[in-house]
Amino acid sequence: MVRAIAVILVLIVCAGAAGAARVLLDDGSYIHGEVLRVSGTKTLIQTSGPDGTGLVWIESAKIKGTQPEPPGTADALATIEELIGRGQLTDALERLDLLMRREPAHVDVTLFYARTLRKAWKFRASLFLYEQLIAGSSSPQLDVLQEAAETAVLASLEKEADVAIKRFKSAAKQNRDLQKYADALRTQLKGGARVVIPNPSSDAKSREELAEDRAKYESDDGDCYLSALVAARLLGALKSAYSTIPIRVQVTALVQDSVRDEYRKGGDEAAFIAAVKRVRLLVSVDDEAWITMYDWRKHSFLLQCLFTVAATYTAAAVDLTILRGKPDPRVVQTKELATANIASDQQTKMTLMTPRNRDLARDAQLREYERQRTELEEKMK
């Protein structure tokens, strides 16, 4: 015990000297904050994050050390928060995705990402991150349990919501008001009165300012600012992966004109995304290069197109057509080289309209791999 306390005291000194720090836990995760003091077998940590500071007690035996916060994480979160404040949820989510890849175990980044996804009406993805946070904590905070339950209800996932509500209600057993709220969540889940609604995106910019921003797009690339942004992003990614094969991308959200006009005038971006149920995606390619490309690479190309668009238009099915030449639906002589579709449930279909072009060397490698795997399984029986 004396040795454990001595170690923690060293951690206190290190954390205080380093400023912003991480407290490393034995399960591989960490808490963004500083060790304040030790009391018996527990250690008091002052946490910090996008929503301010807090205090949490942790079993001393679970703490493995501290390390300085990598430079840039706090600044990155602050920048992302500014983007959200300006109503730029799509850009904010892109940056959060990159930050999450860099800091997969960062509790504050994960929580911030979960809350931002919820704000963008991406409830399933948000719930996944909440569950990840809860599973990685021996004593998850009550507000996180509550938000997870709310998000599961908003996602209309009955099984997951039932578990989340029970967990939240159990943790809030000393709070009568929260007990009643948990019961109300269950009522909403079963089609009753709504006690939790999707959070509208925060628009620090006025509608006029947003409308001015959204007027700046190329109509040949998309039907609105967001579609043109997705088209530009996809074209850049395709050129990076496939060089000169992709030529042009056009994204069209098939939605009522009144809904599109509301978005163009500065309306809520998340509401617009939720209203789009189908997207038309046209991609023109160098047809000679396309024909010579192996079929498995064509399939990869199609999937990248589908999932890139579906990542933004999360409630929509995406219909993709690969065209020879400029992707202009008015040019009837344009030849289709391939079609693909991703449904709202993520099921995909792909059709190539060019002669088969198998990668025989790759096929042979795959057959050899399968043979070796089968042999290994037989030996292990």
Side-chain angles (χ1 to χ4, degrees):
M1 175 61 70
V2 173
R3 180 181 176 85
I5 293 176
V7 170
I8 298 301
L9 289 175
V10 171
L11 296 180
I12 293 175
V13 174
C14 292
R22 295 174 174 178
V23 179
L24 308 178
L25 304 180
D26 60 355
D27 61 0
S29 64
Y30 50 82
I31 298 173
H32 178 59
E34 298 182 46
V35 175
L36 294 183
R37 64 186 177 90
V38 178
S39 177
T41 61
K42 293 190 175 183
T43 300
L44 180 63
I45 298 172
Q46 178 175 302
T47 63
S48 60
D51 294 327
T53 61
L55 296 174
V56 61
W57 286 98
I58 299 290
E59 293 289 338
S60 298
K62 294 182 177 294
I63 299 176
K64 294 302 181 184
T66 63
Q67 63 179 203
E69 186 72 19
T73 301
D75 290 341
L77 287 175
T79 300
I80 292 168
E81 196 164 18
E82 289 179 6
L83 289 174
I84 295 172
R86 295 199 298 267
Q88 297 175 256
L89 268 178
T90 301
D91 291 341
L93 287 172
E94 279 188 8
R95 296 199 184 199
L96 273 168
D97 183 62
L98 293 174
L99 189 58
M100 189 72 181
R101 293 172 190 271
R102 192 184 81 190
E103 304 283 353
H106 197 301
V107 174
D108 298 324
V109 172
T110 305
L111 181 57
F112 196 94
Y113 198 5
R115 287 171 173 168
T116 306
L117 284 167
R118 172 173 162 169
K119 184 175 292 188
W121 292 27
K122 300 184 179 184
F123 303 123
R124 289 173 182 256
S126 175
L127 180 61
F128 175 82
L129 292 181
Y130 276 118
E131 293 295 340
Q132 185 175 312
L133 280 170
I134 293 168
S137 173
S138 58
S139 54
Q141 296 182 7
L142 186 58
D143 60 339
V144 173
L145 296 175
Q146 176 179 331
E147 290 171 24
E150 292 170 345
T151 305
V153 171
L154 291 171
S156 300
L157 298 172
E158 291 192 16
K159 183 178 179 181
E160 291 83 351
D162 184 63
V163 172
I165 292 170
K166 286 180 180 178
R167 183 176 56 202
F168 166 50
K169 188 173 182 179
S170 175
K173 57 187 176 184
Q174 302 299 327
N175 189 315
R176 182 175 298 178
D177 290 338
L178 289 181
Q179 291 272 307
K180 292 180 179 179
Y181 182 66
D183 292 336
L185 285 175
R186 190 176 302 283
T187 300
Q188 177 174 337
L189 181 66
K190 297 183 180 299
R194 300 176 71 187
V195 293
V196 58
I197 60 175
N199 296 324
S201 60
S202 174
D203 285 338
K205 279 191 173 183
S206 67
R207 283 178 61 92
E208 291 75 16
E209 290 172 321
L210 288 172
E212 183 179 352
D213 288 345
R214 292 171 183 174
K216 302 170 184 175
Y217 72 94
E218 293 291 335
S219 58
D220 286 345
D221 297 337
D223 64 298
C224 64
Y225 174 80
L226 183 60
S227 294
L229 186 67
V230 174
R233 186 184 308 132
L234 175 57
L235 182 59
L238 292 175
K239 284 186 175 294
S240 176
Y242 299 93
S243 188
T244 59
I245 293 178
I247 298 174
R248 191 75 175 271
V249 174
Q250 184 183 77
V251 177
T252 304
L254 304 180
V255 70
Q256 293 181 354
D257 290 341
S258 59
V259 175
R260 186 184 293 105
D261 289 342
E262 169 63 15
Y263 169 72
R264 286 174 174 169
K265 293 175 182 177
D268 183 60
E269 183 174 272
F272 173 69
I273 290 172
V276 177
K277 301 304 180 185
R278 186 165 293 277
V279 175
R280 183 179 66 225
L281 171 60
L282 304 178
V283 179
S284 68
V285 297
D286 181 321
D287 52 299
E288 292 184 3
W290 176 267
I291 290 172
T292 59
M293 188 162 61
Y294 288 127
D295 288 349
W296 68 269
R297 292 200 71 212
K298 292 173 186 171
H299 287 136
S300 297
F301 185 102
L302 298 177
L303 288 173
Q304 183 172 357
C305 292
L306 291 174
F307 282 107
T308 298
V309 175
T312 296
Y313 287 111
T314 53
V318 181
D319 298 316
L320 165 64
T321 304
I322 303 296
L323 301 172
R324 171 191 292 171
K326 186 178 180 181
D328 187 342
R330 296 167 296 182
V331 182
V332 295
Q333 69 269 24
T334 301
K335 183 179 179 181
E336 296 181 358
L337 299 175
T339 60
N341 168 273
I342 182 170
S344 56
D345 62 359
Q346 303 296 296
Q347 296 295 314
T348 59
K349 295 180 181 179
M350 294 180 285
T351 303
L352 300 179
M353 300 175 180
T354 49
R356 294 182 66 184
N357 188 16
R358 301 285 297 274
D359 186 344
L360 299 180
R362 181 173 180 270
D363 290 348
Q365 290 177 345
L366 291 175
R367 286 194 298 270
E368 176 61 18
Y369 167 77
E370 184 64 24
R371 184 189 66 78
Q372 292 178 4
R373 186 181 67 83
T374 302
E375 285 184 358
L376 182 60
E377 288 178 348
E378 289 295 328
K379 291 179 181 179
M380 294 177 65
K381 287 182 179 179

